[in-house]
């Protein structure tokens, strides 16, 4: 059965088509700069990469081009072959603890949750509608970034502001990257051959979060009401004393919007280092002993270590610590720095294994109290699986 896995942004649309349940990728690609000058798309099929420039007025047009390419490349014989489309949806609020088939009610709920994710849910809705318009017979499924974290309990998810903010306005921790944390949890169940795993899953990408997984369920995670809480990220501050905001508005004569933009787009690795939001650039300068790169890298690592230590105490028993996301999967330097800082927990890195480049491998030494792994995440296949499970 052919299933499309889709991630729609405000000006982009990423997709993979799978043959399920084999999880074979038939074609993948991305449409970029939709609705903006210079739009183009790239496809990957049979190991071959193709890039084409094309005016893409809107997402409907991108979906039309996508369908034409599926037919032209003989990935499908007719539109009827596309049985289901799984859509990544960032915010499911506290309503969805699982993926769900999209009907009018679900779509309205996703639209209604746009207040909580103004940058993401409206774009996800545009993607859902574009596929509805072009292939109305395909079953559409929403796979929420927040769903896996709905098992977090109240003592962890409540903010420490007035309880009325939660009761009247649903102010609470939702947390994100759930599809990735869930995928890693499923992989670790299989690797450890255990149903009830306790894990600390570190998703370290441009956006970053760590989850505490107890008995295979998310019981805490570092992102909060929005994806700005928790770890230091590429351009986001992560945890931050909110009273700095009115102070900076005053002394720099900035609006609230400008300061929030600074915290979202000009903070984190970029803001501290003044060099780049890309951890490869920070690493390069860190190795050159560039003062601000050293500062940014050390602060980045320390924040991660603090959360791992917190979740270690919270979970009591930990089967494994995992690293995924662009930085977690690729940066042996960052991983080593983190594990070296966890010496007090008797965690020890194996320097040789840590340098491997594979999809899944152990990086801790035999003496380490907890096994540590690199696991390449795959949110797209998780979306396809959840979609297939609701469709078959
Ligand atoms: P993601 O958001 O998961 O795509 O991750 C993006 C982040 O991964 C960026 O900060 C990249 O610099 C980082 N990254 C990708 N490859 C490497 C690498 N080989 N070494 C260090 N960081 C990397």
């Amino acid at each position: 059965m052919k299933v499309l896995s889709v991630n729609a942004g405000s000006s982009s649309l990423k997709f993979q088509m799978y043959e399920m349940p084999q999880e074979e990728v038939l074609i993948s690609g991305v449409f970029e700069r939709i609705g903006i000058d210079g739009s183009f798309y790239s496809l990957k099929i049979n190991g071959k990469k193709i890039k084409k420039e094309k005016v893409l007025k809107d997402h409907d047009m991108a979906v039309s081009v996508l369908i034409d390419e599926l037919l032209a490349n003989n990935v499908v014989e007719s539109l009827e072959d596309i049985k289901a489309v799984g859509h990544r949806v960032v915010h499911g609020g506290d309503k969805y603890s699982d993926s769900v088939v999209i009907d009018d009610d679900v779509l309205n709920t996703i639209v209604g949750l746009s207040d909580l994710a103004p940058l993401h849910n409206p774009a996800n809705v545009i993607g859902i509608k574009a596929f509805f318009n072009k292939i109305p017979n395909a079953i559409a499924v929403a796979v929420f970034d927040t769903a896996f974290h709905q098992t977090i309990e109240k003592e962890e998810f409540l903010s420490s502001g007035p309880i009325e903010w939660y009761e009247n306005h649903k102010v609470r921790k939702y947390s994100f990257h759930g599809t990735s944390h869930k995928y890693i949890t499923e992989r670790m169940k299989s690797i450890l051959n255990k149903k009830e795993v306790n894990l600390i899953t570190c998703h370290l990408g441009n956006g970053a979060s760590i989850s505490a997984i107890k008995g295979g369920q998310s019981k805490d995670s570092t992102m909060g009401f929005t994806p700005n809480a928790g770890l230091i990220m590429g351009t986001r501050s992560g945890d931050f004393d909110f009273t700095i905001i009115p102070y900076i508005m005053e002394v720099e004569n900035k609006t609230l919007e400008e300061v929030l933009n600074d915290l979202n787009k000009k903070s984190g690795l970029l803001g501290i280092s003044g060099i780049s939001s890309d951890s490869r650039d920070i690493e390069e300068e860190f190795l050159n002993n560039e003062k601000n790169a050293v500062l940014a890298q050390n602060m980045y690592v320390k924040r991660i270590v603090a959360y791992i230590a917190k979740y270690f105490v919270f979970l009591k028993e930990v089967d494994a610590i995992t690293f995924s996301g662009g930085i977690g999967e690729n940066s042996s330097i960052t991983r080593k720095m983190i594990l070296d800082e966890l010496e007090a927990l008797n965690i020890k890195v194996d320097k040789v294994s840590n340098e491997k480049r594979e999809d899944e491998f152990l990086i801790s030494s035999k003496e380490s109290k907890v096994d540590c792994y690199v696991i390449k995440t795959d949110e797209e296949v998780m979306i396809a699986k959840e979609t297939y499970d609701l469709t078959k």
Side-chain angles (χ1 to χ4, degrees):
M1 182 177 138
K2 292 187 174 57
V3 172
L4 264 173
S5 170
V6 171
N7 183 354
S10 54
S11 64
S12 69
L13 192 139
K14 262 198 206 165
F15 75 95
Q16 277 80 14
M17 176 166 257
Y18 290 89
E19 186 65 54
M20 296 299 284
Q22 299 89 319
E23 298 176 14
E24 181 195 352
V25 181
L26 303 174
I27 184 170
S28 63
V30 56
F31 292 80
E32 296 192 52
R33 300 182 63 86
I34 300 171
I36 307 174
D37 282 351
S39 49
F40 64 94
Y41 64 99
S42 32
L43 303 173
K44 195 170 161 199
I45 181 165
N46 300 327
K48 227 175 61 193
K49 285 187 184 164
I50 308 161
K51 185 175 166 191
K52 293 186 187 175
E53 282 174 24
K54 170 100 189 159
V55 176
L56 299 166
K57 199 166 52 69
D58 52 25
H59 284 69
D60 276 8
M61 202 159 167
V63 174
S64 289
V65 175
L66 163 56
I67 290 169
D68 290 345
E69 289 285 1
L70 294 180
L71 292 166
N73 286 288
N74 298 318
V75 181
V76 296
E77 278 175 19
S78 77
L79 294 190
E80 304 303 312
D81 285 351
I82 310 170
K83 297 291 183 214
V85 185
H87 296 269
R88 175 189 186 212
V89 178
V90 166
H91 221 307
D94 58 4
K95 176 137 191 194
Y96 300 109
S97 53
D98 254 315
S99 301
V100 63
V101 173
I102 304 173
D103 57 16
D104 286 348
D105 265 3
V106 172
L107 193 60
N108 287 336
T109 307
I110 297 171
V111 172
L113 287 163
S114 293
D115 280 357
L116 298 180
L119 297 179
H120 295 104
N121 274 31
N124 301 151
V125 168
I126 288 171
I128 293 167
K129 286 186 175 166
F131 280 92
F132 263 142
N133 290 343
K134 298 290 167 192
I135 35 175
N137 291 334
I139 296 172
V141 169
V143 180
F144 301 98
D145 266 17
T146 47
F148 185 56
H149 298 303
Q150 280 297 302
T151 43
I152 297 177
E153 284 170 29
K154 207 167 186 176
E155 288 183 11
E156 276 69 51
F157 78 59
L158 270 189
S159 83
S160 40
I163 192 86
E164 292 81 12
W165 291 1
Y166 168 62
E167 291 166 349
N168 299 337
H169 307 294
K170 301 212 164 166
V171 169
R172 51 159 287 178
K173 171 185 286 201
Y174 291 99
S175 278
F176 302 86
H177 289 146
T179 310
S180 173
H181 290 292
K182 184 172 182 179
Y183 174 83
I184 301 295
T185 302
E186 294 301 317
R187 285 302 308 137
M188 289 311 296
K189 283 184 190 171
S190 161
I191 290 168
L192 300 173
N193 197 16
K194 237 179 140 183
K195 278 197 184 120
E196 302 282 302
V197 286
N198 280 13
L199 307 168
I200 298 175
T201 53
C202 307
H203 178 104
L204 309 178
N206 195 27
S209 64
I210 302 183
S211 290
I213 310 291
K214 192 170 195 171
Q217 293 186 327
S218 176
K219 289 292 175 190
D220 203 357
S221 196
T222 56
M223 282 179 167
F225 180 61
T226 72
N228 206 340
L231 303 177
I232 292 172
M233 304 179 224
T235 62
R236 287 176 239 161
S237 64
D239 294 342
F240 188 80
D241 179 349
F242 65 91
T243 49
I244 295 170
I245 297 173
Y247 178 72
I248 290 296
M249 287 170 67
E250 175 85 30
V251 294
E252 293 232 331
N253 196 22
K254 284 189 167 180
T255 63
L256 177 60
E257 203 181 330
E258 285 168 333
V259 179
L260 293 180
N261 190 55
D262 287 349
L263 287 170
N264 260 307
K265 306 239 171 87
K266 297 182 185 169
S267 297
L269 288 177
L270 172 67
I272 301 163
S273 70
I275 297 170
S276 168
S277 64
D278 191 309
S279 82
R280 282 165 290 203
D281 301 332
I282 303 291
E283 261 180 32
E284 197 180 318
E285 291 304 317
F286 172 81
L287 294 172
N288 288 336
N289 242 336
E290 200 283 331
K291 186 164 76 17
N292 290 334
V294 171
L295 185 65
Q297 177 70 8
N298 286 344
M299 285 174 66
Y300 181 78
V301 165
K302 281 190 173 171
R303 183 83 60 95
I304 293 168
V305 167
Y307 269 111
I308 293 178
K310 173 182 166 171
Y311 288 162
F312 203 94
V313 173
F314 173 69
L315 290 170
K316 299 186 176 73
E317 294 285 331
V318 178
D319 295 310
I321 298 173
T322 64
F323 293 93
S324 55
I327 299 170
E329 288 160 24
N330 295 298
S331 174
S332 57
I333 297 177
T334 303
R335 290 194 305 255
K336 181 174 181 309
M337 287 175 73
I338 294 167
L339 296 185
D340 283 349
E341 288 287 324
L342 291 167
E343 200 187 342
L345 300 175
N346 289 319
I347 289 170
K348 291 190 175 61
V349 67
D350 181 311
K351 281 191 212 145
V352 177
S353 306
N354 186 43
E355 296 301 327
K356 281 197 216 167
R357 300 198 74 81
E358 291 169 15
D359 285 354
E360 298 183 344
F361 56 101
L362 185 70
I363 57 170
S364 49
S365 72
K366 283 201 187 76
E367 296 79 44
S368 183
K369 184 173 174 217
V370 180
D371 288 343
C372 304
Y373 288 84
V374 172
I375 307 287
K376 187 175 178 352
T377 196
D378 193 342
E379 288 161 278
E380 294 77 19
V381 82
M382 199 71 210
I383 291 171
K385 271 193 204 174
E386 304 254 311
T387 303
Y388 175 73
D389 286 346
L390 283 170
T391 319
K392 66 182 178 197

